[in-house]
Amino acid sequence: MKLFRRRLYSRRRALRLGLGAIGAPIVWSLTRLAIDPAHSINDNQKFTVVGKKSLRQRAQAKGLIYGAFPQADDRQFASDLALQSRFVRECGMMTVGCYWVTSRPSVSTFDFTASDYFVKFATRHQLRLHGHPLIWHEAMPPWVEATLTPTTAEQILTEHIQRVMGRYAGKISSWDVVNEAIHVGHNRRADGFRDTPWLKLLGTDYLDLAFRVAATADPQAKLVYNDFGMEYDTPEADAKREAILNLLQRFQQQGTPIYALGIQSHLSVNRDRFNRAKFRSFLSSVAKLGLKIQISELDVTDRNLPVEIANRDRAIARMYADYLTTALDERAVISVTTWGLSDRYTWLAQEKPRTDRAPVRPLPFDRHYQPKLAQQAIAWAFDRAPKR
């Protein structure tokens, strides 16, 4: 699992610096946040909520699902009773990782130890389950590329989906079938598809194949395409949104059995400008295709914010509030999953640490599982969301 966490986001391009050095004065204006100023939350927003309802309850009241990815591995989670308690109280859904590197150590061997644990935990506590991911170009053990050929690729892909989904049929209610198949950065293909082993050996139709195999393996499961980089007001994000819409339209034309788009949303306060109108228009375009939308991996890095905790927490909370009030205005958005629940367990601690070595604070609850202003901002956004 340490390997899995270490490599989980190694392919993310580095967050671009938007503020001065960490040693900047503590007095720091929230107006410097990279958010469209015409429509953003004001600097003094209190994020006041009524009552002590959990995030799960506030989401449910609006017809939404709130969940999280544990980030802790199965052994850590099993021994951390405080994390378990907070998870059960706050979450209506758990994302369970089913990565090739952990679930299929060899071409003929499957190991479901970790995923079995989380499925049993979630089932016992009546949490909905989301599986992630069935097909991805990363987190694959060395045997995969060594074994894949034009004659074996389809068989290996098909068998993998059938074995994994078949094991959890009727238990895991939705799946990220294909993860991150679009690439718009350097060395991009003209058609926008990422140059992966699956693409090289099976062509662009490997995505449709994966969804059709998944639909057969568990006809009741909701099938999702999941990707990142759709949030900001940059030429790259514009290209990513366009490529994603083209892919979804292609699915529609092919009759691909897709239910929803998953939007990862690993956000940065001081990266590129978050344009509420542009992002809202993109969500509307997805909804017009008849698809649902899942916010699938939400967190906000504090890597380049001042060290003083109150200012950091307010900047993070405001980013959550601005983003979620925009996203949840679209009724096709049906769920919000944070990529971790507590600052104790987050990929950002390893992949995007602060240069001053201060503990990162990107999630709704602190290292001791106490709610932060980010949790209150998420609750505030849920309370203001239109009902589904």
Side-chain angles (χ1 to χ4, degrees), residues 242-369:
E242 181 180 1
I244 293 290
L245 286 174
N246 288 340
L247 176 61
L248 298 178
Q249 290 167 351
R250 176 191 177 107
F251 284 156
Q252 191 174 59
Q253 292 164 1
Q254 292 176 318
T256 304
I258 181 175
Y259 175 75
L261 170 67
I263 301 177
Q264 293 180 18
S265 295
H266 297 287
L267 304 175
S268 174
V269 169
N270 52 354
R271 180 179 157 184
D272 302 305
R273 191 178 73 157
F274 175 61
N275 185 311
R276 293 168 62 104
K278 184 173 286 190
F279 186 60
R280 180 65 181 81
S281 176
F282 170 71
L283 298 180
S284 178
S285 295
V286 175
K288 287 175 182 176
L289 295 174
L291 296 175
K292 300 298 184 183
I293 300 165
Q294 297 180 343
I295 307 304
S296 58
E297 305 182 18
L298 178 63
D299 54 21
V300 184
T301 181
D302 67 348
R303 187 181 190 186
N304 300 302
L305 295 178
V307 68
E308 198 273 328
I309 286 178
N311 280 345
R312 265 200 283 165
D313 283 0
R314 173 153 289 279
I316 294 292
R318 183 180 169 188
M319 188 73 247
Y320 272 115
D322 264 294
Y323 175 81
L324 285 175
T325 52
T326 303
L328 297 180
D329 187 49
E330 173 52 65
R331 285 179 169 83
V333 175
I334 59 172
S335 66
V336 174
T337 296
T338 50
W339 209 233
L341 189 65
S342 160
D343 295 334
R344 183 179 291 269
Y345 303 103
T346 168
W347 70 282
L348 290 166
Q350 288 78 40
E351 295 294 331
K352 304 294 180 185
R354 293 176 58 86
T355 57
D356 59 10
R357 299 185 180 181
V360 297
R361 298 175 62 83
L363 291 166
F365 296 87
D366 69 16
R367 293 179 58 85
H368 305 289
Y369 308 113

Side-chain angles (χ1 to χ4, degrees), residues 193-246:
F193 284 101
R194 186 181 297 275
D195 193 12
T196 71
W198 304 112
L199 184 72
K200 291 175 182 176
L201 296 171
L202 297 174
T204 57
D205 285 339
Y206 84 88
L207 292 96
D208 180 68
L209 170 65
F211 276 91
R212 292 187 186 278
V213 173
T216 301
D218 185 357
Q220 302 305 313
K222 305 296 187 183
L223 308 182
V224 183
Y225 174 75
N226 193 54
D227 216 322
F228 68 96
M230 293 167 259
E231 300 83 13
Y232 288 104
D233 190 4
T234 65
E236 185 177 89
D238 287 344
K240 190 64 172 278
R241 286 188 288 268
E242 181 180 1
I244 293 290
L245 286 174
N246 288 340

Side-chain angles (χ1 to χ4, degrees), residues 49 51-61 64-69 77 82-94 121 125-128 336-338 340-342 363-366 369-372 374-376 378-380 382:
V49 295
K52 297 182 178 181
K53 292 180 180 179
S54 66
L55 293 179
R56 174 182 186 168
Q57 291 170 319
R58 293 181 188 277
Q60 285 179 337
L64 289 162
I65 304 166
Y66 170 70
F69 179 56
F77 195 92
L83 174 59
Q84 292 181 34
S85 177
R86 180 58 76 180
F87 212 100
V88 171
R89 168 176 163 74
E90 299 296 333
C91 297
M93 180 168 67
M94 172 184 281
F121 177 88
H125 293 286
Q126 299 182 316
L127 303 179
R128 187 186 300 251
V336 174
T337 296
T338 50
L341 189 65
S342 160
L363 291 166
F365 296 87
D366 69 16
Y369 308 113
Q370 296 305 303
K372 295 156 46 187
Q375 183 271 348
Q376 195 166 326
I378 295 170
W380 183 86
F382 285 162

